[in-house]
Amino acid sequence: MSPFEDVYKESKFHPKLEGLLLPYGTAGFRSNANHLDHIMFRMGLLAVLRSQNTKATIGVMVTASHNPEEDNGVKIIDPMGEMMSTSWEGYATQLANAEQEDLIDALKEIIEKEAIDLSLEAKVFLGKDTRKSGVKLSEAVISGVSALGGHSKDFGLVTTPQLHYAVRCQNTKGKYGEPSVEGYNKKLSAAFIQLTNNAFNCTDDQKHLSVDGANGIGALKLREIECHLKKSAHITLFNDGSKRKLNDQCGADFVKVHQKAPIGIEMNPGERGCSFDGDADRIVYYYTDSQRRFHLLDGDKIATLISIFLKELLTQSGLNLTMAVVQTAYANGSSTDYLRDTLKVTVQCSKTGVKYLQQMAQKFDIGVYFEANGHGTVVFSKSAEDQIHQLAEDPSANDEAKRAARMLQSSVNVINQTIGDAISDMLLIEAILAIKGMTIQQWHAIYTDLPNRQIKVKVADRRVIDTTDAERRAVSPAGLQEAIDSLVKRHKKARSFVRPSGTEDVVRIYAEAETQESADALAHEVSLAVYRLAGGVGDEPKPLH
């Protein structure tokens, strides 16, 4: 029996839902879990082809991240633990949406275009988060892998970053680490302990952190790594999945969007708290002051803290390495000004989507990249890692330079360079705060965010909006950018931009200004311009107040 006959036979057990069309976006496929069985089967097929195409192990993660529990989704992971190549996203969409009778032709088209040798071995690593639907959907992926003759290894319950990590470890033949959750736990915890050995006066109170696990996989995996941390961190875990639903009024996305602490967490004024998202690839920090006012430290604040720390170590070590911070247009203007004008580091702006930030960050020896939502990490070039290692082992180097190099080395090892990782980022942040003897209030006070507002406008067709300059300027429809420029001039310290949603017919609007009242007014004014010039549907946007 040919492999295509196997595929056709198995695909009948995973029939496509009539009329369902889904695009493979930055977050892969996401929808109600009941709609995804055929897509999971077909992504198993695609993972086999990608493995044969790259001659490497490929990852498939079954998760819907910060979406509600009834949703699910799937992301494909490329050989170095990065997101799947943009050039293959079209294949994923094509395969997922092919009608049943066209599935084999769609497969053959990919095989022909990429000149794939089906006789090559294919290996796929699989993982899932804690959603109940993940069990059945993972089985559909495995069915797809097997139908095309591939081999799969099911890691079971893992965070998204842990699967990215395992894929990279496998394809570097262990140079990046051991391709297992235990290997991940040992590597990160050992590096964290080495790093915090440089925190000479850190008390037990200062080591305490309250963590909101979003009732998801991050809570489960934090418990596992916690026993490796010994007494270097004191973590109190909330929203561990034992009482409430995944992402229900908790998690990083909820905190960021609603600007308030998650339900189910108990913190005294001034204490540090942080929230993971559903698959533990995002993190945000926060605290309440003595007046019980909530203060959020998002991805911009995290990138700034890490950049300050790394720049100090580079200065102390004497290493001449290029370093940049990559942000999106959503980064608060105050953070950009601080990084560029006060810290004197290179700041780059990329399109929204972690894959775009990562690509830009990789152009530097050290690239710090974070989206404002808390998704990000740090990447180091091979040359940078080699230079850091050589200095750390150099017997002729002075003590300050060698100590800085060893701290950089520990930082490299505590960081998951493959993708944003809530656990890894948390360990790095906690180490930095301990070493610098810095409170969360002092961290928050490094710069003051400009007030901002994000809203959206429904339109008949989001494709009428086209942007340039990393999505900061609109090139169509005609007259829209001119209207935005005119509105911005009415407000102090203001800026605004619009961009189409990647998944629905809405236009997302960001506005920033000197006061919250001004930011809200600007957001509303721009929403009216979008509504009138870009084919708004429904009622005209109303003022926010």
Side-chain angles (χ1 to χ4, degrees):
M1 187 183 285
S2 79
F4 298 122
E5 288 174 334
D6 277 349
V7 169
Y8 188 73
K9 181 182 171 185
E10 283 297 316
S11 70
K12 290 182 177 179
F13 296 106
H14 306 278
K16 179 180 178 292
L17 294 181
E18 192 174 339
L20 181 69
L21 295 173
L22 291 174
Y24 189 99
T26 300
F29 291 109
R30 281 191 200 169
S31 185
N32 183 283
N34 296 327
H35 300 162
L36 293 172
D37 184 74
H38 74 286
I39 285 179
M40 296 295 173
F41 173 77
R42 295 172 184 202
M43 290 309 99
L45 301 175
L46 190 72
V48 169
L49 298 185
R50 186 66 179 150
S51 177
Q52 291 167 330
N53 174 252
T54 58
K55 299 180 176 64
T57 299
I58 294 298
V60 178
M61 182 69 195
V62 177
T63 181
S65 186
H66 55 273
N67 280 37
E69 191 169 33
E70 56 270 20
D71 287 351
N72 217 320
V74 60
K75 306 174 186 178
I76 295 183
I77 302 165
D78 259 1
M80 286 299 103
E82 72 274 47
M83 292 180 174
M84 184 172 66
S85 169
T86 309
S87 64
W88 273 64
E89 290 178 2
Y91 294 149
T93 300
Q94 175 186 340
L95 207 56
N97 295 321
E99 294 304 326
Q100 198 74 14
E101 61 272 18
D102 301 323
L103 178 59
I104 301 303
D105 287 340
L107 263 182
K108 287 179 176 177
E109 187 180 333
I110 298 168
I111 292 163
E112 188 178 336
K113 279 186 179 177
E114 296 295 330
I116 293 168
D117 182 355
L118 288 180
S119 69
L120 293 174
E121 182 184 34
K123 192 164 187 179
V124 178
F125 280 1
L126 177 70
K128 60 180 177 288
D129 69 17
T130 53
R131 296 163 203 267
K132 291 177 183 176
S133 59
V135 176
K136 182 174 179 291
L137 294 177
S138 294
E139 289 170 356
V141 174
I142 292 169
S143 178
V145 172
S146 299
L148 255 187
H151 303 284
S152 59
K153 179 178 179 179
D154 189 354
F155 280 72
L157 293 170
V158 287
T159 69
T160 294
Q162 285 175 337
L163 192 67
H164 281 256
Y165 173 91
V167 170
R168 182 162 179 165
C169 291
Q170 179 72 13
N171 289 316
T172 57
K173 295 181 168 58
K175 288 180 182 175
Y176 190 67
E178 180 192 321
S180 68
V181 173
E182 185 64 11
Y184 167 97
N185 288 339
K186 286 179 178 177
K187 179 183 175 181
L188 269 63
S189 58
F192 174 74
I193 290 166
Q194 286 173 347
L195 203 48
T196 52
N197 283 339
N198 295 279
F200 303 114
N201 301 308
C202 193
T203 66
D204 285 350
D205 281 352
Q206 291 167 325
K207 291 177 184 177
H208 183 256
L209 174 68
S210 298
V211 180
D212 158 31
N215 293 309
I217 187 66
L220 201 66
K221 295 302 169 180
L222 183 58
R223 282 274 186 246
E224 291 178 8
I225 198 171
E226 196 179 358
C227 63
H228 291 272
L229 299 176
K230 300 175 182 175
K231 294 184 179 179
S232 300
H234 294 171
I235 295 166
T236 305
L237 179 60
F238 298 92
N239 297 325
D240 63 358
S242 61
K243 295 176 183 175
R244 297 181 66 87
K245 287 171 64 177
L246 174 69
N247 295 325
D248 181 20
Q249 298 182 73
C250 61
D253 191 61
F254 173 85
V255 172
K256 171 70 175 167
V257 170
H258 295 277
Q259 298 280 312
K260 65 179 182 180
I263 197 166
I265 195 166
E266 298 166 18
M267 292 166 51
N268 294 320
E271 289 182 344
R272 290 192 307 285
C274 70
S275 287
F276 297 173
D277 69 336
D279 65 338
D281 64 2
R282 293 186 192 180
I283 186 171
V284 294
Y285 269 71
Y286 42 82
Y287 70 98
T288 55
D289 62 25
S290 56
Q291 274 75 50
R292 293 286 176 182
R293 287 175 302 201
F294 177 81
H295 300 277
L296 176 71
L297 291 86
D298 62 6
D300 297 338
K301 292 278 188 182
I302 292 169
T304 301
L305 179 70
I306 293 171
S307 300
I308 290 169
F309 180 67
L310 293 178
K311 183 158 189 213
E312 286 174 354
L313 292 181
L314 285 177
T315 301
Q316 292 163 13
S317 69
L319 288 167
N320 186 24
L321 299 174
T322 61
M323 177 174 151
V325 180
V326 184
Q327 301 180 318
T328 71
Y330 287 105
N332 194 276
S334 289
S335 74
T336 308
D337 291 345
Y338 177 84
L339 289 163
R340 186 185 57 223
D341 302 334
T342 304
L343 197 58
K344 308 290 185 188
V345 298
T346 300
V347 181
Q348 300 278 306
C349 185
S350 92
K351 287 173 65 178
T352 303
V354 170
K355 62 186 174 186
Y356 300 115
L357 283 90
Q358 187 179 57
Q359 288 164 10
M360 194 171 281
Q362 288 170 335
K363 296 176 182 177
F364 300 87
D365 289 322
I366 302 175
V368 180
Y369 71 88
F370 274 85
E371 291 187 298
N373 61 25
H375 195 176
T377 187
V378 186
V379 290
F380 297 82
S381 68
K382 185 180 183 304
S383 171
E385 288 194 28
D386 289 345
Q387 289 181 59
I388 291 166
H389 177 73
Q390 286 166 11
L391 180 57
E393 302 301 320
D394 185 355
S396 63
N398 68 59
D399 289 346
E400 183 188 34
K402 188 177 286 191
R403 177 175 174 270
R406 286 178 175 166
M407 288 172 71
L408 280 168
Q409 205 168 29
S410 297
S411 299
V412 169
N413 287 328
V414 86
I415 290 165
N416 184 352
Q417 295 186 54
T418 65
I419 194 171
D421 182 339
I423 293 174
S424 163
D425 291 339
M426 180 198 80
L427 293 175
L428 180 62
I429 292 163
E430 289 302 301
I432 294 171
L433 293 176
I435 291 163
K436 295 181 71 63
M438 184 182 281
T439 64
I440 192 165
Q441 295 93 327
Q442 289 169 327
W443 171 19
H444 189 243
I446 290 170
Y447 65 83
T448 302
D449 279 327
L450 281 167
N452 56 86
R453 179 67 65 190
Q454 294 183 46
I455 57 175
K456 56 188 179 182
V457 175
K458 287 186 178 180
V459 292
D461 183 359
R462 67 183 184 275
R463 290 172 297 182
V464 301
I465 299 279
D466 191 20
T467 63
T468 187
D469 188 23
E471 302 177 309
R472 289 178 289 191
R473 296 189 67 78
V475 293
S476 70
L480 179 58
Q481 188 58 51
E482 290 78 5
I484 294 171
D485 290 341
S486 175
L487 293 168
V488 165
K489 286 177 183 175
R490 300 179 187 176
H491 302 270
K492 292 181 179 178
K493 295 184 180 179
R495 69 183 180 98
S496 181
F497 68 90
V498 302
R499 56 181 287 269
S501 164
T503 55
E504 54 184 329
D505 282 323
V506 301
V507 177
R508 302 191 186 281
I509 295 163
Y510 178 89
E512 183 177 279
E514 188 174 47
T515 66
Q516 190 63 58
E517 184 182 20
S518 193
D520 290 349
L522 178 58
H524 175 247
E525 291 157 7
V526 172
S527 74
L528 287 174
V530 169
Y531 181 87
R532 291 162 184 167
L533 296 172
V537 297
D539 294 335
E540 193 172 81
K542 292 184 170 52
L544 297 170
H545 301 292

